[in-house]
Amino acid sequence: MAVDGTVLRQLREARRWLTLQQFLEYAIWTLLAALGVLAISRMGPPQAQASVPVSATIVISFALALAGALWRWKSVRVVARELDARARTKDRFLTALDLPTSEESLLSDAARRETSTFAARLRVGDYLRPKLPWRNALWLLLPLAALGLIEGLKDWRAAQLAPELASARQLLEQARTVAEHQAEVDKEFNQVAEKLKEAEQELAESSEP
């Protein structure tokens, strides 16, 4: 005889609660690592920033947390042991898994009935309902503050350089206009005009002159 259906249903519910709790705990640390990577990348050149997209980094951190949580509670025996410990069931669920399945006896039948009745009455969620790890979540404030400081400094620097950028763009535009006019007389100036146009585009994408 296989493990009682009621016991298995309760163990599956216990696994869902435990996996959710584990995911929340792991997600704090994987998200902390992801925010740290983002903060470091924001201190580098634009190429480094582009190589670390924000949305993909966050999604990967949550995916790693979920994979870790599923792996942590993949064994039904581990789930049974944890449920027995939290609900103080005197190892009833672990015993239910250890009952022989190939032979029947009065003692085994009585044990199955007892564990099935006990499992049916147990409210698993009362013992395993997840709690948000608020204390650990406070660590997320460090990389968030670093990101805010980095972006704030960038905005301040961009505001300081705005007049110089505008002047540089104006000079390039004037030089390109002159080169285009000269190209009507001397076609060699076409290359000069193209290079000036490329420089304008690069300057438009840059935050520094």
Side-chain angles (χ1 to χ4, degrees), residues 161 164-173 196-209:
L161 294 175
E164 296 181 30
L165 284 170
S167 177
R169 292 191 188 101
Q170 186 177 7
L171 289 173
L172 282 173
E173 184 179 358
L196 288 172
K197 187 175 181 180
E198 291 176 2
E200 281 187 80
Q201 293 176 348
E202 291 177 2
L203 187 61
E205 297 172 355
S206 174
S207 58
E208 298 183 5

Side-chain angles (χ1 to χ4, degrees), residues 111-185:
R112 288 192 186 92
R113 285 194 297 271
E114 195 277 335
T115 54
S116 178
T117 302
F118 178 83
R121 295 174 179 173
L122 185 69
R123 300 178 64 179
V124 174
D126 291 346
Y127 299 96
L128 301 179
R129 202 172 301 279
K131 299 178 181 179
L132 291 175
W134 292 111
R135 289 185 178 180
N136 290 339
L138 293 176
W139 286 102
L140 295 175
L141 294 177
L142 292 177
L144 288 174
L147 282 170
L149 180 61
I150 292 169
E151 294 301 326
L153 288 173
K154 283 186 177 182
D155 292 341
W156 175 81
R157 181 169 174 76
Q160 295 289 349
L161 294 175
E164 296 181 30
L165 284 170
S167 177
R169 292 191 188 101
Q170 186 177 7
L171 289 173
L172 282 173
E173 184 179 358
Q174 291 174 353
R176 179 176 56 82
T177 302
V178 172
E180 288 174 349
H181 284 306
Q182 285 296 116
E184 296 176 359
V185 180

Side-chain angles (χ1 to χ4, degrees), residues 63-145:
L64 289 174
L66 179 58
L70 292 172
W71 178 264
R72 172 69 177 82
W73 299 108
K74 70 187 182 90
S75 171
V76 69
R77 291 186 62 82
V78 175
V79 173
R81 188 179 293 112
E82 185 69 16
L83 180 56
D84 283 332
R86 296 200 189 187
R88 299 179 181 179
T89 65
K90 298 181 179 179
D91 295 336
R92 279 186 171 90
F93 286 96
L94 200 57
T95 300
L97 296 178
D98 291 334
L99 289 173
T101 59
S102 59
E103 61 182 61
E104 298 183 14
S105 65
L106 292 177
L107 183 60
S108 297
D109 289 343
R112 288 192 186 92
R113 285 194 297 271
E114 195 277 335
T115 54
S116 178
T117 302
F118 178 83
R121 295 174 179 173
L122 185 69
R123 300 178 64 179
V124 174
D126 291 346
Y127 299 96
L128 301 179
R129 202 172 301 279
K131 299 178 181 179
L132 291 175
W134 292 111
R135 289 185 178 180
N136 290 339
L138 293 176
W139 286 102
L140 295 175
L141 294 177
L142 292 177
L144 288 174

